[in-house]
Amino acid sequence: MAAKNTVLALSDDVILPMTSVFDVITEPCDPLIVTQASSLSKLPLESSSLDFVVSISKSVDFPNDHLFGEISRVLKPGGKILLSNTLQSVPSETNKVISAIERKLLLAGFVSVEKPELLTGVQSFVVKAMKPSWKVGSSFSIKKPVKSVLKIQMDDDDDLIDEDSLLTEEDLKKPQLPPVGDCEVGITKKACKNCTCGRAEAEEKVEKLGLTMDQIENPQSACGSCGLGDAFRCGTCPYKGLPPFKLGDKVTLSGNFLAADI
């Protein structure tokens, strides 16, 4: 003979017919019935002593949060709670009420909440949930996942490209550096053919100014301001664009005359 389940039936009504309990639970049992349960501060039962708790009510506020805590206390680990409600509201509000009950169950620590499939015009429903199978204070070891080493599979049939084959004959030629010229070497001190020091650009600038060699070797000034720099020279000054100089001395360009400012 199968052992009977320990069942507690709760209601906020004064009287609860036995048939109402058996309409909700089909398990063989001899239920304990507590009416007006919302007025109790504590259920008169030992902790973890029940297999099922059935709540039958017409109010959405039953059970309250405190009673949910008591139900969780008296249920065995893995025990089930069945909430049977008959709503007085319109059918459109039924889904909202069921969602509210589901939230209450989850906040009370219950798991595996089963919402009923509602039929059109039906306002009575049963919401089921379960107390977790572990006890308060239980500990579990957490297994860390083993990190898998990244493996790269190489297919020998794949054609690999030789990097050297990507180079052309032009790429393999040794680059020819321009010959180094020294404009300072020589008697004339003119820019060499492959000038890289900037003297060629300086001479080209002087040529654009239209100065004669006499004006460069022995500069003179009618106004006396030509040697002071462009800020003091007139618009037709032949020395415009050249650095300041002393009258009678050869006009020379400083070493950083053609260097960039930045």
Side-chain angles (χ1 to χ4, degrees):
M1 183 177 179
K4 291 184 179 181
N5 293 290
T6 52
V7 178
L8 172 65
L10 301 175
S11 177
D12 56 346
D13 295 332
V14 177
I15 300 175
L16 180 65
M18 187 72 70
T19 55
S20 300
V21 179
F22 290 114
D23 288 341
V24 178
I25 186 169
T26 58
E27 303 289 336
C29 63
D30 186 12
L32 302 173
I33 297 177
V34 176
T35 58
Q36 295 181 316
S38 57
S39 61
L40 298 177
S41 59
K42 185 178 180 180
L43 293 176
L45 294 166
E46 297 293 330
S47 299
S48 302
S49 59
L50 299 175
D51 296 306
F52 291 89
V53 172
V54 179
S55 171
I56 300 174
S57 175
K58 296 180 182 179
S59 172
V60 180
D61 299 326
F62 182 85
N64 55 30
D65 294 339
H66 175 73
L67 191 55
F68 267 124
E70 278 295 294
I71 293 172
S72 178
R73 180 184 66 82
V74 299
L75 272 175
K76 296 178 182 178
K80 295 183 179 180
I81 178 175
L82 295 86
L83 301 179
S84 175
N85 279 70
T86 301
L87 298 181
Q88 303 295 328
S89 59
V90 294
S92 59
E93 298 293 324
T94 303
N95 287 325
K96 293 182 179 179
V97 172
I98 293 176
S99 297
I101 293 175
E102 181 184 10
R103 286 194 296 271
K104 286 184 178 181
L105 287 169
L106 293 175
L107 290 173
F110 293 96
V111 296
S112 304
V113 179
E114 298 180 13
K115 295 191 292 184
E117 295 182 3
L118 297 177
L119 301 176
T120 305
V122 177
Q123 292 177 260
S124 296
F125 59 87
V126 177
V127 180
K128 301 178 182 179
M130 184 178 70
K131 181 180 178 179
S133 58
W134 42 265
K135 295 182 179 180
V136 176
S138 301
S139 60
F140 299 91
S141 60
I142 300 176
K143 295 182 179 179
K144 295 183 178 180
V146 180
K147 294 183 179 179
S148 58
V149 181
L150 181 63
K151 296 181 180 179
I152 301 176
Q153 295 182 350
M154 298 293 294
D155 191 353
D156 295 337
D157 296 333
D158 290 344
D159 294 332
L160 298 179
I161 299 176
D162 185 8
E163 295 107 348
D164 294 338
S165 64
L166 301 176
L167 299 175
T168 62
E169 294 183 2
E170 191 68 26
D171 296 328
L172 296 175
K173 289 182 180 180
K174 186 177 180 180
Q176 297 293 330
L177 299 177
V180 179
D182 190 355
C183 299
E184 296 297 330
V185 178
I187 303 174
T188 58
K189 290 188 178 181
K190 289 187 178 181
C192 58
K193 185 177 181 180
N194 298 317
C195 177
T196 58
C197 67
R199 181 178 290 275
E201 289 84 352
E203 291 180 355
E204 184 180 355
K205 187 176 181 67
V206 173
E207 290 178 2
K208 289 182 179 180
L209 294 175
L211 296 174
T212 63
M213 290 303 299
D214 184 57
Q215 289 177 312
I216 295 175
E217 296 290 343
N218 185 24
Q220 300 295 327
S221 174
C223 62
S225 300
C226 296
L228 299 178
D230 284 349
F232 302 94
R233 294 168 183 161
C234 58
T236 58
C237 181
Y239 299 101
K240 196 167 186 179
L242 291 178
F245 55 85
K246 292 182 180 180
L247 297 179
D249 294 341
K250 181 180 178 180
V251 179
T252 57
L253 302 177
S254 59
N256 63 347
F257 180 66
L258 294 176
D261 293 335
I262 54 175

